[in-house]
Amino acid sequence: SARELVADPADRFALYLGTDEHGLFYSYDGASGWMQVREPNLKEGRVRSVAVNPNDKCTVYVTRGQRLYKSEDCSRTFNSEAYVDNRGTVLLSDVEVDWFNPNVVYLTTSEGEVLKSSDQGKTWATVYRSKSHIRDLHIDATDSRILLVTTARRGIHRSNDAGASWSMILDDDKYKNFVHIDRTTHLEQDASSNYTWATSDYGF
């Protein structure tokens, strides 16, 4: 099963495909042909998320289980120690790179945490705890300080200051007629960020 499909922000022909059982694949010709990465730990298992540095297409971040893998040579090799969560039951659910300042990288966890690195993954700090499994982190298309996260049972949370403070903007208390709208999964925006679409157990 395909879980994640990501296009390189600087090269529309470069695609990365994360799967549920067979790790990570990539295509550099717009999906005409696909290759599996050489990294043994990324040739099997579930790859939940992939992110590419918009200023350096050879820098790629991949989450699998409790580990964040980082490649700086166009997926030829990966550092499997970019981030490791030593709690056995916690999974890394999403990774995103700030398009305005690619030194900034965000990670989310199944424990509801948002982690932030300001040095391309060398060091990390927890900037938020949502108290519910985070499924998706989205960086606003026009202002990268604005972050949105979807959670399994606590709706959508928003930060306007790159993770320093947060508020809940979509939950059952605000939309009482929409059953399970707080069980959110994915976010998308248009290029102007005027429109945001969210999927939830209630609907679209």
Side-chain angles (χ1 to χ4, degrees), residues 5 16 47 51 64 66 94-95 121 127 148-149 168 183 185 193:
L5 178 64
Y16 295 86
V47 168
R64 179 185 181 274
Q66 288 84 30
D94 197 11
V95 59
V127 295
L148 298 167
V149 297
M168 192 181 300
R183 301 180 183 180
T185 51
S193 75

Side-chain angles (χ1 to χ4, degrees), residues 170-181:
L170 182 70
D171 59 39
D172 278 356
D173 290 337
K174 293 181 180 179
Y175 299 91
K176 296 183 184 298
N177 294 329
F178 301 155
V179 177
H180 297 324
I181 198 173

Side-chain angles (χ1 to χ4, degrees), residues 48-80:
R48 294 178 179 272
S49 182
V50 182
V52 184
N53 184 320
N55 291 352
D56 178 9
K57 64 179 294 180
C58 280
T59 299
V60 182
Y61 301 86
V62 181
T63 64
R64 179 185 181 274
Q66 288 84 30
R67 291 181 180 270
L68 175 69
Y69 295 78
K70 180 181 178 181
S71 175
E72 297 181 276
D73 55 9
C74 289
S75 302
R76 292 181 181 87
T77 62
F78 283 86
N79 170 18
S80 64

Side-chain angles (χ1 to χ4, degrees), residues 1-4 16-26 34-48 50 62-64 78:
S1 297
R3 175 161 293 267
E4 173 89 331
Y16 295 86
L17 179 70
T19 70
D20 275 349
E21 296 179 356
H22 300 291
L24 180 66
F25 294 79
Y26 63 91
W34 291 89
M35 294 287 290
Q36 195 174 32
V37 297
R38 297 175 183 173
E39 169 62 40
N41 291 325
L42 293 177
K43 296 182 79 170
E44 60 182 11
R46 178 175 295 175
V47 168
R48 294 178 179 272
V50 182
V62 181
T63 64
R64 179 185 181 274
F78 283 86

